[in-house]
Amino acid sequence: MSGEQTRITEFIYENQAAMYRLAFSYARNREAALDIVQDTVVQAISHAHTLRSEAAVKAWVYRILINESLAYLRRNQRMILLDELPEITAPQEDPGAKVDIYRAVERLELKLRIVVILRYFEDMKLEDIAAATGANLNTVKARLYRALKKLRQELGDGFSDM
């Protein structure tokens, strides 16, 4: 195993739950999300030689994950149920408020939802989100702003910028 493959494998192992949550946010199905993550792992390890910088591993792997998720959606264009929520472990402070936030995020348009998930749930920098989604940095900022505005409107005064 090459050095790049080892670094990618370590990253995937450390971030498997986060990758599953992101895949689930696209697929809304446990088995499909697991398949997407598996396909991402195969693609990442087999194309490790194309990684330009070890510092970009996170954005690079997430870009593959997003591409695999979008490919899944194209292959399986079907009605997506909003009932299923990803298995997100929230802090124990106020579970009711957290559930409201998660549900509100799930109702966002896909492009807005992904930016919010990557920024607040996966703690990615805006530059990394831009790299992972293939969008311009200003586009990512605008999507995040629009998403937060919609969340504030839906959740009211009790909502702060996560």
Side-chain angles (χ1 to χ4, degrees):
M1 192 177 280
S2 72
E4 294 96 1
Q5 289 175 327
T6 302
R7 175 67 186 117
I8 291 167
T9 303
E10 289 171 358
F11 174 81
I12 290 169
Y13 182 74
E14 293 167 2
N15 294 281
Q16 60 188 339
M19 292 173 63
Y20 168 78
R21 284 191 305 269
L22 183 58
F24 189 92
S25 73
Y26 278 96
R28 306 220 192 254
N29 175 291
R30 182 182 186 283
E31 290 76 24
L34 291 171
D35 287 345
I36 291 169
V37 172
Q38 181 178 353
D39 292 343
T40 299
V41 170
V42 169
Q43 290 294 325
I45 291 174
S46 64
H47 293 93
H49 62 282
T50 65
L51 179 62
R52 295 186 185 145
S53 162
E54 280 201 35
V57 170
K58 184 175 188 174
W60 186 77
V61 170
Y62 272 86
R63 181 72 202 155
I64 294 170
L65 179 64
I66 290 168
N67 286 339
E68 289 296 326
S69 298
L70 292 172
Y72 167 81
L73 290 178
R74 281 190 299 272
R75 285 190 310 266
N76 300 295
Q77 290 182 347
R78 59 181 173 78
M79 188 171 136
I80 298 175
L81 301 176
L82 293 177
D83 299 344
E84 299 180 46
L85 288 175
E87 298 168 18
I88 299 173
T89 56
Q92 297 301 319
E93 38 202 52
D94 184 6
K98 294 295 183 188
V99 169
D100 290 344
I101 290 172
Y102 292 132
R103 287 193 175 140
V105 168
E106 287 300 316
R107 285 189 291 272
L108 289 172
E109 169 189 340
L110 183 62
K111 290 180 180 183
L112 303 180
R113 180 177 0 127
I114 295 309
V115 172
V116 170
I117 289 171
L118 292 176
R119 176 67 187 106
Y120 293 106
F121 299 163
E122 304 308 328
D123 200 29
M124 288 179 72
K125 296 178 183 174
L126 294 176
E127 294 82 9
D128 293 337
I129 295 170
T133 59
N136 178 298
L137 178 60
N138 288 331
T139 302
V140 170
K141 289 177 182 179
R143 287 177 182 166
L144 184 60
Y145 175 78
R146 265 196 338 259
L148 292 175
K149 183 177 178 183
K150 286 183 178 194
L151 290 171
R152 273 189 215 99
Q153 288 171 345
E154 185 171 337
L155 297 172
D157 294 333
F159 175 75
S160 63
D161 291 354
M162 295 185 167

